[in-house]
Amino acid sequence: MRLPLLVVACAAAASSELAPAPAPGHRPALPRQCKADQLVAAGGKRGGAVPAVWAPPSYGWAILSNWLYFLSLGLNAVNVQYLVRLIVNADGSTAPSPAAIALSGRVETVDKLLTFLGVGLLSALSDVRGRKPLMAWSALGFAATNLLQASAGAGSIGRLYLADLIDGCSSCMTPICQAYVADCSPASRRAQNLGVSRAGVFQGLSVGGAFLLAFPIGGVLGAKLGPRAPLRIAAALQVVNAALIALLVDLREANPIGALRRLFGRAGLLRSAALAYGFVSLARNALDAQFVNYASVRFGWSQQQTGPIMVVVGLMLAVAPRLLVPRLGPRRAVLLPRPRLQRAVLYGLAVFAAGLGGAGASPSPTGFLASIVVVSVGCVCIPALQALLTNIAPPGERGALLGALGALTELTGAIGSTLYAAVLAAFTAEAPPLPLPGMHFFVGAAMLVAAWALAARGFATHAAEARAAAAAGPAGAADE
């Protein structure tokens, strides 16, 4: 039920393209555990003085933990809607019904609201207590979620709510892993390591690689063994993940309102980009939260058919940002130190909106799939927005800001889950208001148009302020 993370997790947390160059001899600040591990890596002893030369610890274990997490998420995402139908439908069938669609939206809303309330706290806590314990907490929470969902029988609606309650209180794996990778990456490689540029590893390995395996395997297992078996496998993978974190991993403003204030409480480009990100996050739920239900209602697809399609989506999301961001314009500075992120945001939003509109209007599977490819290309705007937000934020708040983005994502996910489930149920009923079964896609496209307007205005204002400051600079210096 947490497919919306598919897009968010593939986004990069920071970009060296906008980060100021460090002063000579400056060592980036790391959380306490990173500092200790960096000391050991440099040949020192724990408790001793930190060497003058910064030797960042490896972040490979964080990528592995996130990969295992998304492997479980992919197995869950392909099958959980079918499990809800088994529980709700009186005849025990897996056919989509308005009651099952509405229930899935309400249950997902519980998850998103609780994650919104907790992800900022958990991410900020990892800045103080270290990444490892919070990563283990997230893995065990998702394991319990899958076990509860798999054990739910006919009429066990309360167990579904309990499962998503636990999930919502433990969802923090991706922002914490992203924060760790960003903390332990030198400025010259931060964008590459997180996946904004073509050499990115976090996005391609830990997210795209996991979904490439999980979606087809989950679809086949669900069709052959029923939707409960893949969920049990997903739970087992997270138990293994938690054990690896506890035994092997050497990982070197804590409330939702305060987290949102980090994004919206500051004027200028940061606020505009945060508002645009909120609309994008809300819009993407039109596809993420209702993909399985819409494909079943509109085209009669089963798990075996939706699984491979979701692989295509995951592959496009893994590849598109790495290929497109470095090619979206010249290197000369116009509005920002590097205009490519600006171009990725604006072009991506426009393409994303067009793709959602096409998905809503397409009457055939072929046209729908073509629109999904367009959507995947447009999703380049999401890592670009996250990179922009992370790098214009005050220094020393990377983990907290990623937590704030996570809180905003979950809040919009809670709104979108209920909103799009209600719209899909209404427009696929026997007597719909209009003969537009893809109406929820048009609602999402309207959100993206609003995001484009906010982002364009923010970039234009930022450019005007930069030109005014540059013009006033020489005069101010002369007066002094």
Side-chain angles (χ1 to χ4, degrees):
M1 285 189 167
R2 305 177 62 222
L3 184 59
L5 281 176
L6 181 151
V7 180
V8 163
C10 79
S15 167
S16 60
E17 296 190 20
L18 293 179
H26 173 72
R27 179 175 53 83
L30 292 174
R32 182 176 56 194
Q33 286 184 307
C34 282
K35 290 182 179 179
D37 290 342
Q38 166 265 314
L39 173 61
V40 173
K45 298 180 179 180
R46 295 185 186 274
V50 177
V53 179
W54 181 57
S58 172
Y59 50 79
W61 286 109
I63 292 178
L64 174 62
S65 295
N66 205 58
W67 182 83
L68 287 171
Y69 187 85
F70 275 86
L71 193 63
S72 293
L73 177 59
L75 294 174
N76 182 292
V78 179
N79 291 282
V80 72
Q81 301 290 351
Y82 293 88
L83 177 63
V84 172
R85 298 171 194 172
L86 278 176
I87 294 172
V88 173
N89 292 344
D91 59 357
S93 70
T94 58
S97 64
I101 293 173
L103 175 63
S104 67
R106 291 194 297 268
V107 171
E108 183 73 1
T109 297
V110 173
D111 180 359
K112 297 304 176 185
L113 284 175
L114 289 172
T115 305
F116 160 68
L117 293 172
V119 69
L121 168 64
L122 297 174
S123 298
L125 187 61
S126 76
D127 286 337
V128 178
R129 298 297 181 185
R131 315 298 186 196
K132 179 174 177 176
L134 278 303
M135 290 168 62
W137 168 255
S138 185
L140 290 174
F142 197 33
T145 296
N146 280 280
L147 284 176
L148 281 171
Q149 291 173 339
S151 64
S156 302
I157 295 175
R159 189 165 295 187
L160 293 178
Y161 280 106
L162 177 60
D164 272 33
L165 185 150
I166 294 174
D167 189 20
C169 292
S170 60
S171 296
C172 61
M173 181 70 77
T174 294
I176 291 178
C177 288
Q178 285 179 321
Y180 177 77
V181 172
D183 287 336
C184 298
S185 300
S188 60
R189 290 193 56 82
R190 191 169 297 137
Q192 291 92 329
N193 291 345
L194 282 159
V196 177
S197 68
R198 73 186 74 185
V201 296
F202 184 88
Q203 172 185 330
L205 291 179
S206 71
V207 179
F211 283 137
L212 287 176
L213 289 176
F215 287 154
I217 293 175
V220 172
L221 289 176
K224 299 288 186 181
L225 305 176
R228 290 185 172 87
L231 270 61
R232 295 189 181 102
I233 295 173
L237 286 172
Q238 286 316 292
V239 173
V240 172
N241 195 10
L244 289 174
I245 293 169
L247 300 177
L248 300 178
V249 178
D250 187 20
L251 291 180
R252 307 180 193 184
E253 319 165 8
N255 65 81
I257 304 303
L260 294 183
R261 285 175 179 168
R262 292 181 186 274
L263 295 176
F264 303 118
R266 299 183 175 96
L269 185 58
L270 193 149
R271 179 186 294 173
S272 297
L275 288 170
Y277 181 87
F279 276 104
V280 173
S281 183
L282 185 58
R284 66 176 174 73
N285 280 278
L287 178 65
D288 296 341
Q290 297 301 325
F291 179 87
V292 175
N293 282 328
Y294 180 77
S296 297
V297 172
R298 183 71 161 160
F299 307 119
W301 290 353
S302 65
Q303 296 106 307
Q304 287 180 296
Q305 292 165 302
T306 56
I309 300 307
M310 293 167 74
V311 169
V312 174
V313 176
L315 180 62
M316 291 297 298
L317 290 171
V319 172
R322 296 172 61 185
L323 294 179
L324 296 179
V325 173
R327 293 173 171 82
L328 287 174
R331 289 185 173 273
R332 57 188 176 85
V334 180
L335 303 182
L336 296 169
R338 294 282 191 229
R340 290 176 176 175
L341 287 180
Q342 175 189 333
R343 294 173 183 267
V345 170
L346 295 179
Y347 293 171
L349 287 171
V351 173
F352 198 168
L356 282 185
S362 177
S364 66
T366 301
F368 180 70
L369 294 181
S371 299
I372 296 303
V373 174
V374 176
V375 166
S376 301
V377 174
C379 281
V380 70
C381 66
I382 298 175
L385 275 170
Q386 285 199 328
L388 176 64
L389 284 164
T390 303
N391 285 276
I392 61 180
E397 297 185 8
R398 186 171 294 118
L401 186 132
L402 287 169
L405 289 178
L408 179 61
T409 299
E410 299 304 329
L411 177 60
T412 56
I415 298 170
S417 295
T418 299
L419 171 65
Y420 295 123
V423 173
L424 178 60
F427 282 83
T428 56
E430 294 183 359
L434 291 173
L436 288 175
M439 173 58 76
H440 63 295
F441 288 122
F442 292 107
V443 175
M447 303 285 183
L448 292 170
V449 172
W452 187 94
L454 286 166
R457 180 180 178 183
F459 285 129
T461 302
H462 178 80
E465 291 174 351
R467 286 192 291 266
D479 292 340
E480 293 179 0

